[in-house]
Amino acid sequence: MMSSHTGRACCLMLCGALALALSLFAAPLDGAAQESAGERIKQQDTYTSSNVLTQGETDEWPLAARDNETVIIGVSSENFDPAVELLNPSGAVIARNDDIRAGEQDSLLLARLAVGGAYVVRVRASKAGGGRYELTVRRFIATDAPAGARSVGVLGKSLSQWHRFNAEAGQTLVVTTRAASFSPTVEIYAPSGEQVLAELSNRGSRAVFRAAQGGVYHARIAPLGNAEARSSYSVTIAPARVFQTRIGEANALRPIERGGLDLWTFKAAAGDLVKVQAKAAGGSLTAMLSFVPVLDKQGEPTAPESNVPPFVVLPSDTKASGELVALINTTGDYQVAVSQPFGLVVSYALATSQPVKLFTGGAGGGGTLTLGGSDYWAFDGKAGQILRYEAMSEQFDVALQLFNARGESVGADDDGASNRNAMLTALLSEPGRYLLRVYTFGGGGAGSYRLRPINDPARPLALNTRVEGTVGTGGSEIWSFKGSAGQVLIISARSSDFDTRIALYGPDAAEVAADDNGGEGTDSLLSVRLPVDGTYTLWVAAQGGGGAYALRAIEAQ
């Protein structure tokens, strides 16, 4: 028989075991681990964990807060609609959130705790339900970043630092971060705690964003890759100034503030070629173009109507600070962001223009290029049209580049003509407005040039006859002939001066066949059956070098 003393001891042991088991099941679980909830939310930059919420119950995660600590708490679940609450040491709810926004059931809140102590994060189901959820807590003590002032910080043990700043609704701000020993990343968090921007850079970062709501924002600075806890950096947060301008309008000289950003808005139409120049009175500038989408009734940007980008930046003077040339594909509002790369104070003037030149009456033209500059000539092309332009200069090595109506490069040439002159030949595959760029090869040299079109550039090709031709360095020559559907041809191109390439195009300007080294050595050889009746063009191109060649197209028996 068991003594009463022994019975009481066994009962105490059973009760203790039962209490321990209940305490383990009541605490939030992290996978298979069964730790006490008080050990969960650790004092680190970002804490993440998960648990299974029992239907009809709540989970409480203790949080030992520091004075002036800020917390961003998020709960997400695919199984139920979660809600999160933050309780102060007295047990009162001081912040709560159910849905981040309409249509998104995850919860998120941001709170600044002036006085530290034993706080509690409570997770519950907004409606009936339960299941697995993810908890994310960001903990930090932020330092104030006055607008326009340069602040210096040092990465701590968590390898991150937070800065707090104010923004007005609709205000555009720029966060400039620089570091000598690491590549900084910048993350921006809205007053709701939602991340609204992430910017990566190499040794320097410039994050530009528009504040959708007014209030206190936070910037998190962290390294991209490895860094040491004592690594220092600088950060400047400044509001952007917004100005209106028109293409062709002259603007007065004005200073840009330390770490600041100026936004210039103008209207442009599809097909416009726009040149932007932000000229500084001493010092360099950066100019970046962006399209301003139309907002819907909810204030959200509307989706683009096509996959074609609103604009394409074309080559311009790489040595000119604050300059860009863009072809506009979508009619609407555009914005130029002007800033100083190092956040310094500098005075500048902004000018916008349409630098395109037009051919008149099919005649050629000419102009004068500055060092590193370009001229753009516009003309309307047709599908299947063969065009050839020659550019000549006695003062620099001239080059040509052709762009279609969407701003895509469809041809280029440097020394296709004699000496340092260019000869560009192209077969247009679609109708539209084309741009022909005249520039100095390698960006060196300057001076005057002449540009002329060569009409009917294709030479007639007699079948079963050997013909000869000559091309400049990297150039090409075109031959044309009448062909019939089902006709079989053997075509060869031979040269002892350069590596030949031949390409055959049909009446619809589509490529039928091509060959580079099908013959002996660098010669070309191909056999082809013609698909339709009509006029075909045969292109002979020089791949490396130039000189004389022999061409033959033989009808197969």
Side-chain angles (χ1 to χ4, degrees), residues 266-293:
F266 63 89
K267 295 184 179 298
D272 286 347
L273 185 70
V274 179
K275 184 175 184 179
V276 176
Q277 289 178 299
K279 294 184 177 180
S284 60
L285 284 175
T286 301
M288 297 182 64
L289 183 67
S290 61
F291 175 67
V292 182

Side-chain angles (χ1 to χ4, degrees), residues 459-470 477-481 490-495 498 500-504 524-526 537-541 548-554:
R459 299 174 60 182
L461 175 64
L463 300 182
N464 305 311
T465 302
R466 182 180 184 272
V467 295
E468 296 180 348
T470 304
E477 196 162 35
I478 312 167
W479 300 79
S480 67
F481 63 91
I490 299 174
I491 305 171
S492 65
R494 297 181 177 181
S495 176
F498 61 90
T500 65
R501 183 182 188 277
I502 52 178
L504 181 66
S524 301
L525 178 67
L526 63 83
T537 55
L538 182 63
W539 295 60
V540 181
Y549 67 92
L551 176 68
R552 189 190 302 267
I554 302 174

Side-chain angles (χ1 to χ4, degrees), residues 145-151 235-239 257-260 343:
R150 181 176 179 269
S151 303
V235 59
T236 304
I237 303 174
E257 299 174 353
R258 178 181 296 277

